Amino acid sequence: MPSSSLVKMSHTVTVTRTTTTATTSAILLNIGYLKKPPGILKLLHVLLGIITVSILGRYIGYFATPSYGSTKIFLNIAITNSDLFVPELFFLLIATTCLIASALLLFSCFISIPTATILPKTIFVSHIHIMLLFFLLYACPMTSVVNKIIEIYIKMESNSDLIVS
């Protein structure tokens, strides 16, 4: 058998790489977040906060105007007409805090897809919801209880004025 010689062939491979870069100034919004239950609940929370703050703001602004000469004496403390709205002001403060916190959470999840996936997994979201729930559950009954006490006292005072005269 004849000896075979190996022929070495050299190959040349040319690789062409095309890189295309595009810059855009479009803002991508995470509209899909608003279609999921957490997004719907967060949007509902913000809308209810807006309604609550606007009703309380109008209520306090309309009824808490100081009228001169309307000072009552309650447990030896002079109370003006605007002092009667301290519980409502506390509730307005708590409702505004809840509205701002919820709006910031909704906004951050709405403008960023990674935030919408990472933020619900953090302990921050559960803690802020627990704290806001605690504050709202504390502010609502406190407002009604203080108003009832003042209302009962004013009725007792008006009945004592009728008995004296």
Side-chain angles (χ1 to χ4, degrees), residues 24-118:
T24 179
S25 63
I27 297 174
L28 300 174
L29 298 177
N30 187 9
I31 298 176
Y33 179 73
L34 296 177
K35 295 178 183 177
K36 296 177 184 174
I40 293 169
L41 290 174
K42 190 71 65 196
L43 183 64
L44 185 65
H45 195 195
V46 169
L47 292 175
L48 286 175
I50 290 171
I51 292 169
T52 303
V53 168
S54 61
I55 288 173
L56 275 171
R58 177 69 179 143
Y59 172 75
I60 290 172
Y62 184 74
F63 289 106
T65 55
S67 55
Y68 299 103
S70 64
T71 303
K72 304 273 186 200
I73 303 298
F74 179 66
L75 299 175
N76 294 327
I77 300 171
I79 298 176
T80 61
N81 196 16
S82 59
D83 289 337
L84 297 176
F85 290 95
V86 172
E88 285 85 356
L89 285 174
F90 179 71
F91 183 60
L92 180 64
L93 174 73
I94 297 300
T96 305
T97 305
C98 293
L99 173 63
I100 291 171
S102 296
L104 287 175
L105 285 173
L106 178 68
F107 182 70
S108 63
C109 290
F110 185 65
I111 64 169
S112 173
I113 294 173
T115 302
T117 57
I118 294 171

